[in-house]
Amino acid sequence: MSSKIYDSSTFPNKSPLNFLVPPPHGRGTQLSNGEKRRVAPGVPSTVNYFYENECDKVENPKLRPYPDCATNSIQYNAGPEKLVSVYRLTVDRCNRLWFVDTGALDYEPSPIIIHNPTLWIMDLKTDTLIRRFSIPDALYETDGLGFADIVVESDGQDCDNAYAYVSNFKTSALLVYSFRENDAWIAKHPYMNPVPGLGEMVLQGVSFDFTAGLIAMALSQSRPGNRFLFFGSLAGIDEFAVPTRILKDQSLSSDYYNNKDFIHIGSRGPNSQILVQQINSQGILFYPEIQDQVIKCWNTAKPLTPENTAVVYRNNQTMVYGTQVEIDEDDNIWVMSNRFALQLFRGLDINDYNFFLVRGKSDVIRNTVCSL
Protein backbone atom coordinates (compact mmCIF):
# COMPACT_ATOMS: atom_id res chain seq x y z
CA MET A 1 0.00 0.00 0.00
CA SER A 2 1.37 3.41 -0.98
CA SER A 3 1.39 6.60 0.99
CA LYS A 4 1.99 10.15 -0.12
CA ILE A 5 2.90 13.45 1.51
CA TYR A 6 1.21 16.28 -0.31
CA ASP A 7 1.86 20.01 -0.18
CA SER A 8 0.00 22.98 -1.60
CA SER A 9 0.21 26.74 -1.40
CA THR A 10 -2.06 26.66 1.63
CA PHE A 11 -0.29 23.82 3.42
CA PRO A 12 3.25 24.33 2.12
CA ASN A 13 5.41 22.40 4.57
CA LYS A 14 6.42 18.89 3.65
CA SER A 15 6.94 16.85 6.79
CA PRO A 16 5.61 13.34 7.32
CA LEU A 17 3.49 12.14 10.16
CA ASN A 18 1.55 8.89 10.11
CA PHE A 19 0.00 9.96 12.36
CA LEU A 20 0.81 11.71 15.62
CA VAL A 21 2.54 15.01 16.27
CA PRO A 22 5.96 14.01 17.60
CA PRO A 23 6.70 15.01 21.19
CA PRO A 24 10.20 15.76 22.49
CA HIS A 25 11.85 12.38 22.48
CA GLY A 26 15.35 13.03 23.71
CA ARG A 27 17.01 11.03 20.93
CA GLY A 28 18.19 13.85 18.74
CA THR A 29 15.89 12.63 15.96
CA GLN A 30 12.16 13.09 16.04
CA LEU A 31 9.94 10.05 15.76
CA SER A 32 6.45 9.94 14.35
CA ASN A 33 3.98 7.39 15.61
CA GLY A 34 0.98 6.10 13.74
CA GLU A 35 -1.70 3.45 13.85
CA LYS A 36 -3.02 1.09 11.21
CA ARG A 37 -6.20 -0.82 11.96
CA ARG A 38 -6.34 -4.47 11.03
CA VAL A 39 -9.38 -4.54 8.74
CA ALA A 40 -8.01 -7.32 6.52
CA PRO A 41 -5.25 -9.92 6.68
CA GLY A 42 -1.74 -8.80 5.80
CA VAL A 43 -1.17 -5.99 8.30
CA PRO A 44 2.03 -6.91 10.18
CA SER A 45 1.77 -4.21 12.87
CA THR A 46 -1.01 -1.92 14.07
CA VAL A 47 1.15 0.71 15.83
CA ASN A 48 4.18 2.02 13.95
CA TYR A 49 6.78 4.76 13.90
CA PHE A 50 9.31 6.21 11.51
CA TYR A 51 12.14 8.73 11.64
CA GLU A 52 11.09 12.01 10.12
CA ASN A 53 14.50 12.82 8.69
CA GLU A 54 14.17 9.77 6.43
CA CYS A 55 11.59 11.66 4.40
CA ASP A 56 14.27 13.97 3.07
CA LYS A 57 15.77 10.90 1.38
CA VAL A 58 12.76 8.79 0.36
CA GLU A 59 9.13 9.58 -0.44
CA ASN A 60 7.80 6.69 1.62
CA PRO A 61 9.71 6.21 4.88
CA LYS A 62 9.94 2.72 6.32
CA LEU A 63 7.36 1.94 9.01
CA ARG A 64 8.70 0.16 12.09
CA PRO A 65 6.46 -1.65 14.61
CA TYR A 66 6.01 0.13 17.94
CA PRO A 67 7.15 -0.63 20.54
CA ASP A 68 8.49 -3.73 18.79
CA CYS A 69 7.59 -6.49 16.38
CA ALA A 70 6.82 -9.07 19.06
CA THR A 71 4.14 -6.89 20.68
CA ASN A 72 2.42 -6.44 17.31
CA SER A 73 2.63 -10.11 16.37
CA ILE A 74 -0.63 -11.90 17.21
CA GLN A 75 -2.24 -15.29 17.15
CA TYR A 76 -5.93 -16.03 17.64
CA ASN A 77 -5.28 -17.06 21.25
CA ALA A 78 -3.14 -13.99 22.05
CA GLY A 79 -3.53 -12.28 25.40
CA PRO A 80 -3.86 -8.53 26.16
CA GLU A 81 -0.08 -8.11 26.05
CA LYS A 82 -0.37 -8.29 22.23
CA LEU A 83 -1.60 -5.37 20.10
CA VAL A 84 -4.46 -6.33 17.78
CA SER A 85 -6.00 -3.23 16.18
CA VAL A 86 -5.70 0.45 17.13
CA TYR A 87 -7.75 3.37 15.83
CA ARG A 88 -6.03 6.51 17.14
CA LEU A 89 -3.22 7.69 19.39
CA THR A 90 -2.61 10.74 21.54
CA VAL A 91 0.24 12.12 23.65
CA ASP A 92 -0.29 13.93 26.94
CA ARG A 93 1.76 16.68 28.58
CA CYS A 94 3.76 14.09 30.52
CA ASN A 95 5.17 12.62 27.29
CA ARG A 96 3.02 9.51 27.49
CA LEU A 97 1.45 7.79 24.51
CA TRP A 98 -2.18 6.70 25.03
CA PHE A 99 -4.32 4.47 22.82
CA VAL A 100 -7.02 1.81 22.95
CA ASP A 101 -6.41 -1.58 21.40
CA THR A 102 -9.87 -2.78 20.30
CA GLY A 103 -8.76 -6.38 20.79
CA ALA A 104 -10.58 -7.43 17.61
CA LEU A 105 -9.73 -8.01 13.96
CA ASP A 106 -12.29 -6.02 11.97
CA TYR A 107 -12.57 -8.59 9.19
CA GLU A 108 -15.50 -9.20 6.88
CA PRO A 109 -18.01 -10.77 7.15
CA SER A 110 -17.64 -10.82 10.95
CA PRO A 111 -14.94 -9.58 13.36
CA ILE A 112 -12.62 -11.96 15.16
CA ILE A 113 -12.38 -11.24 18.89
CA ILE A 114 -8.88 -11.85 20.25
CA HIS A 115 -9.17 -10.29 23.71
CA ASN A 116 -10.91 -7.53 25.63
CA PRO A 117 -10.35 -3.94 24.49
CA THR A 118 -7.40 -2.51 26.40
CA LEU A 119 -6.15 0.98 27.18
CA TRP A 120 -2.37 1.28 26.77
CA ILE A 121 -0.14 3.99 28.25
CA MET A 122 3.47 4.10 27.06
CA ASP A 123 6.46 6.13 28.25
CA LEU A 124 7.81 7.84 25.13
CA LYS A 125 11.14 8.59 26.80
CA THR A 126 11.92 4.91 27.23
CA ASP A 127 9.37 3.27 24.92
CA THR A 128 8.25 1.08 27.80
CA LEU A 129 4.80 0.21 29.07
CA ILE A 130 3.55 2.28 32.00
CA ARG A 131 0.15 0.66 32.35
CA ARG A 132 -2.30 -1.55 30.54
CA PHE A 133 -5.95 -1.35 31.59
CA SER A 134 -8.36 -4.04 30.43
CA ILE A 135 -11.75 -2.44 29.82
CA PRO A 136 -14.46 -4.40 31.73
CA ASP A 137 -17.20 -6.12 29.73
CA ALA A 138 -19.88 -3.99 31.40
CA LEU A 139 -18.44 -0.83 29.78
CA TYR A 140 -19.03 -1.87 26.16
CA GLU A 141 -21.23 -4.16 24.08
CA THR A 142 -20.17 -7.26 22.13
CA ASP A 143 -16.72 -6.01 21.06
CA GLY A 144 -14.38 -3.03 21.33
CA LEU A 145 -14.53 -1.99 17.67
CA GLY A 146 -16.53 1.14 18.53
CA PHE A 147 -13.71 2.67 20.58
CA ALA A 148 -12.32 5.28 18.20
CA ASP A 149 -11.21 8.75 19.28
CA ILE A 150 -9.19 9.33 22.46
CA VAL A 151 -8.50 12.62 24.25
CA VAL A 152 -6.37 12.96 27.38
CA GLU A 153 -6.61 15.75 29.93
CA SER A 154 -3.49 16.33 32.04
CA ASP A 155 -1.67 19.45 33.23
CA GLY A 156 1.91 18.21 33.06
CA GLN A 157 2.57 19.04 36.71
CA ASP A 158 0.78 16.19 38.43
CA CYS A 159 1.00 13.33 35.95
CA ASP A 160 -1.19 11.08 38.09
CA ASN A 161 -4.04 13.58 37.71
CA ALA A 162 -4.90 12.53 34.17
CA TYR A 163 -8.14 11.47 32.53
CA ALA A 164 -8.72 9.77 29.21
CA TYR A 165 -11.95 10.26 27.29
CA VAL A 166 -12.66 7.57 24.68
CA SER A 167 -15.59 7.76 22.28
CA ASN A 168 -17.56 4.64 21.37
CA PHE A 169 -19.49 5.20 18.16
CA LYS A 170 -21.24 1.81 18.36
CA THR A 171 -22.78 2.40 21.80
CA SER A 172 -22.97 6.21 21.53
CA ALA A 173 -21.22 6.48 24.88
CA LEU A 174 -18.09 8.01 26.40
CA LEU A 175 -15.58 5.96 28.37
CA VAL A 176 -13.90 7.99 31.13
CA TYR A 177 -10.67 6.64 32.65
CA SER A 178 -8.87 8.03 35.71
CA PHE A 179 -5.14 7.33 35.80
CA ARG A 180 -4.90 7.98 39.56
CA GLU A 181 -7.80 5.69 40.41
CA ASN A 182 -7.00 3.19 37.65
CA ASP A 183 -10.72 2.93 37.07
CA ALA A 184 -13.15 3.64 34.26
CA TRP A 185 -16.85 4.43 33.90
CA ILE A 186 -19.37 5.39 31.25
CA ALA A 187 -21.00 8.75 30.55
CA LYS A 188 -24.03 8.85 28.27
CA HIS A 189 -26.28 11.58 26.98
CA PRO A 190 -28.80 11.81 24.12
CA TYR A 191 -26.50 14.33 22.40
CA MET A 192 -24.09 11.44 21.78
CA ASN A 193 -26.62 9.49 19.69
CA PRO A 194 -26.67 9.35 15.89
CA VAL A 195 -29.32 11.45 14.16
CA PRO A 196 -31.60 9.37 11.92
CA GLY A 197 -30.91 10.06 8.26
CA LEU A 198 -27.64 11.89 8.80
CA GLY A 199 -25.53 8.76 8.42
CA GLU A 200 -26.32 8.78 4.70
CA MET A 201 -23.43 10.40 2.83
CA VAL A 202 -22.00 10.72 -0.67
CA LEU A 203 -18.27 10.81 -1.33
CA GLN A 204 -16.95 11.08 -4.89
CA GLY A 205 -20.18 9.63 -6.23
CA VAL A 206 -20.22 6.72 -3.79
CA SER A 207 -23.26 6.59 -1.48
CA PHE A 208 -22.94 4.93 1.91
CA ASP A 209 -24.53 4.92 5.34
CA PHE A 210 -22.39 5.34 8.44
CA THR A 211 -25.10 5.66 11.09
CA ALA A 212 -22.79 5.91 14.08
CA GLY A 213 -22.85 7.87 17.31
CA LEU A 214 -20.25 9.69 19.38
CA ILE A 215 -16.89 9.94 17.63
CA ALA A 216 -15.28 13.39 17.17
CA MET A 217 -13.93 15.07 20.31
CA ALA A 218 -11.70 18.02 21.24
CA LEU A 219 -10.62 19.63 24.51
CA SER A 220 -10.86 23.36 25.04
CA GLN A 221 -7.65 25.15 25.94
CA SER A 222 -8.99 26.66 29.16
CA ARG A 223 -6.98 26.29 32.33
CA PRO A 224 -6.87 22.75 33.77
CA GLY A 225 -9.84 21.99 35.98
CA ASN A 226 -12.10 24.25 33.95
CA ARG A 227 -12.07 22.72 30.51
CA PHE A 228 -14.79 21.66 28.12
CA LEU A 229 -14.98 18.55 26.00
CA PHE A 230 -16.45 19.36 22.58
CA PHE A 231 -18.05 16.39 20.85
CA GLY A 232 -20.43 15.19 18.16
CA SER A 233 -21.72 12.05 16.48
CA LEU A 234 -20.66 10.79 13.07
CA ALA A 235 -24.29 10.77 11.95
CA GLY A 236 -24.80 14.40 12.91
CA ILE A 237 -23.94 17.98 12.01
CA ASP A 238 -24.25 19.62 15.45
CA GLU A 239 -21.58 20.36 18.05
CA PHE A 240 -21.99 19.88 21.79
CA ALA A 241 -19.87 20.45 24.89
CA VAL A 242 -19.72 19.42 28.53
CA PRO A 243 -17.45 20.61 31.38
CA THR A 244 -14.91 17.89 32.09
CA ARG A 245 -15.50 18.32 35.83
CA ILE A 246 -18.86 16.62 35.21
CA LEU A 247 -17.27 13.69 33.43
CA LYS A 248 -14.62 13.24 36.13
CA ASP A 249 -17.23 12.75 38.86
CA GLN A 250 -18.03 9.06 38.76
CA SER A 251 -20.92 9.55 41.19
CA LEU A 252 -22.77 11.53 38.54
CA SER A 253 -24.30 8.61 36.68
CA SER A 254 -25.73 9.27 33.26
CA ASP A 255 -29.22 9.05 34.76
CA TYR A 256 -28.66 12.15 36.88
CA TYR A 257 -26.90 14.58 34.56
CA ASN A 258 -28.57 17.96 34.65
CA ASN A 259 -29.68 19.00 31.19
CA LYS A 260 -27.74 22.23 31.63
CA ASP A 261 -24.48 20.29 32.05
CA PHE A 262 -24.49 19.28 28.39
CA ILE A 263 -24.61 22.23 26.01
CA HIS A 264 -25.81 22.40 22.43
CA ILE A 265 -23.24 24.69 20.80
CA GLY A 266 -24.65 24.98 17.30
CA SER A 267 -24.64 23.50 13.81
CA ARG A 268 -21.92 23.38 11.16
CA GLY A 269 -24.55 23.27 8.42
CA PRO A 270 -25.92 20.68 5.95
CA ASN A 271 -23.73 17.75 4.87
CA SER A 272 -21.02 18.63 7.38
CA GLN A 273 -20.41 15.23 9.01
CA ILE A 274 -16.96 14.78 10.55
CA LEU A 275 -14.83 12.07 12.12
CA VAL A 276 -12.32 14.21 13.99
CA GLN A 277 -11.66 17.70 15.30
CA GLN A 278 -9.02 19.58 17.28
CA ILE A 279 -8.71 22.96 19.04
CA ASN A 280 -5.49 24.98 18.97
CA SER A 281 -4.06 27.22 21.71
CA GLN A 282 -6.02 30.21 20.38
CA GLY A 283 -9.38 28.44 20.62
CA ILE A 284 -9.71 27.74 16.89
CA LEU A 285 -11.34 24.40 16.12
CA PHE A 286 -10.27 22.61 12.92
CA TYR A 287 -12.15 19.74 11.32
CA PRO A 288 -12.20 17.92 7.95
CA GLU A 289 -15.65 17.48 6.43
CA ILE A 290 -16.23 14.09 4.83
CA GLN A 291 -18.62 14.95 2.00
CA ASP A 292 -17.19 18.31 0.97
CA GLN A 293 -13.56 17.11 1.21
CA VAL A 294 -12.34 20.25 2.94
CA ILE A 295 -10.68 21.34 6.16
CA LYS A 296 -12.64 24.02 7.95
CA CYS A 297 -12.12 26.26 10.96
CA TRP A 298 -14.39 27.74 13.60
CA ASN A 299 -13.47 30.30 16.25
CA THR A 300 -14.95 28.88 19.47
CA ALA A 301 -15.35 32.42 20.84
CA LYS A 302 -18.10 32.95 18.27
CA PRO A 303 -21.48 31.23 17.87
CA LEU A 304 -21.30 28.07 15.79
CA THR A 305 -23.22 28.72 12.59
CA PRO A 306 -22.38 27.90 8.96
CA GLU A 307 -21.57 31.58 8.45
CA ASN A 308 -18.93 31.44 11.21
CA THR A 309 -17.01 28.56 9.63
CA ALA A 310 -14.47 28.90 6.83
CA VAL A 311 -12.62 26.62 4.43
CA VAL A 312 -8.85 26.65 4.91
CA TYR A 313 -8.03 23.76 2.58
CA ARG A 314 -9.86 22.03 -0.27
CA ASN A 315 -8.60 19.17 -2.40
CA ASN A 316 -10.61 16.22 -3.70
CA GLN A 317 -7.49 14.10 -4.11
CA THR A 318 -5.71 14.52 -0.79
CA MET A 319 -8.61 15.29 1.55
CA VAL A 320 -10.75 12.26 0.75
CA TYR A 321 -11.76 11.02 4.18
CA GLY A 322 -10.21 12.98 7.04
CA THR A 323 -9.37 10.57 9.87
CA GLN A 324 -7.17 12.54 12.26
CA VAL A 325 -6.29 16.11 13.18
CA GLU A 326 -3.43 17.12 15.45
CA ILE A 327 -2.06 20.47 16.62
CA ASP A 328 1.62 20.59 17.50
CA GLU A 329 3.43 22.86 19.98
CA ASP A 330 3.87 25.53 17.28
CA ASP A 331 0.14 25.45 16.48
CA ASN A 332 0.76 23.79 13.12
CA ILE A 333 -2.26 21.83 11.92
CA TRP A 334 -1.74 18.25 10.73
CA VAL A 335 -4.53 16.35 8.98
CA MET A 336 -4.50 12.75 7.82
CA SER A 337 -6.90 11.38 5.22
CA ASN A 338 -7.31 8.06 3.43
CA ARG A 339 -9.53 6.25 0.96
CA PHE A 340 -11.07 3.87 3.47
CA ALA A 341 -14.70 4.82 2.76
CA LEU A 342 -14.14 4.40 -0.99
CA GLN A 343 -12.15 1.20 -0.47
CA LEU A 344 -15.14 -0.43 1.25
CA PHE A 345 -17.23 -0.10 -1.89
CA ARG A 346 -14.73 0.11 -4.74
CA GLY A 347 -11.96 -2.08 -3.41
CA LEU A 348 -8.33 -1.17 -2.77
CA ASP A 349 -6.21 0.12 -5.64
CA ILE A 350 -2.65 -0.80 -4.65
CA ASN A 351 -1.27 1.26 -7.55
CA ASP A 352 -2.76 4.47 -6.23
CA TYR A 353 -1.90 6.64 -3.24
CA ASN A 354 -4.30 5.73 -0.45
CA PHE A 355 -3.01 7.80 2.49
CA PHE A 356 -2.40 11.55 2.56
CA LEU A 357 -1.03 14.00 5.06
CA VAL A 358 -1.20 17.78 4.91
CA ARG A 359 0.22 20.32 7.31
CA GLY A 360 -0.58 24.01 7.64
CA LYS A 361 0.54 26.87 9.82
CA SER A 362 -1.81 28.56 12.27
CA ASP A 363 -2.06 31.60 9.99
CA VAL A 364 -4.21 29.65 7.52
CA ILE A 365 -7.15 31.35 9.24
CA ARG A 366 -5.91 34.81 8.21
CA ASN A 367 -8.55 36.84 6.40
CA THR A 368 -11.27 34.35 7.32
CA VAL A 369 -14.17 34.58 9.75
CA CYS A 370 -12.07 32.43 12.12
CA SER A 371 -9.39 35.08 12.58
CA LEU A 372 -8.99 36.51 16.06
Side-chain angles (χ1 to χ4, degrees), residues 224-294:
N226 188 30
R227 304 180 75 175
F228 283 82
L229 182 72
F230 288 79
F231 66 89
S233 64
L234 175 54
I237 58 175
D238 287 5
E239 190 76 25
F240 307 94
V242 59
T244 59
R245 61 176 175 78
I246 299 295
L247 303 174
K248 294 173 185 176
D249 190 341
Q250 188 174 1
S251 66
L252 292 176
S253 72
S254 56
D255 294 334
Y256 296 99
Y257 281 131
N258 188 306
N259 288 334
K260 295 181 180 178
D261 293 333
F262 285 78
I263 308 164
H264 177 251
I265 301 297
S267 174
R268 295 181 297 270
N271 303 319
S272 62
Q273 292 92 337
I274 64 174
L275 286 164
V276 288
Q277 56 187 359
Q278 192 66 262
I279 299 175
N280 72 4
S281 63
Q282 302 300 312
I284 309 300
L285 187 146
F286 294 91
Y287 58 93
E289 288 188 2
I290 296 173
Q291 296 195 77
D292 207 17
Q293 297 183 246
V294 297

Side-chain angles (χ1 to χ4, degrees), residues 176-193:
V176 182
Y177 170 79
S178 166
F179 184 87
R180 173 169 282 137
E181 299 174 21
N182 193 31
D183 194 13
W185 54 93
I186 291 295
K188 294 195 73 170
H189 191 276
Y191 287 163
M192 300 177 183
N193 294 334

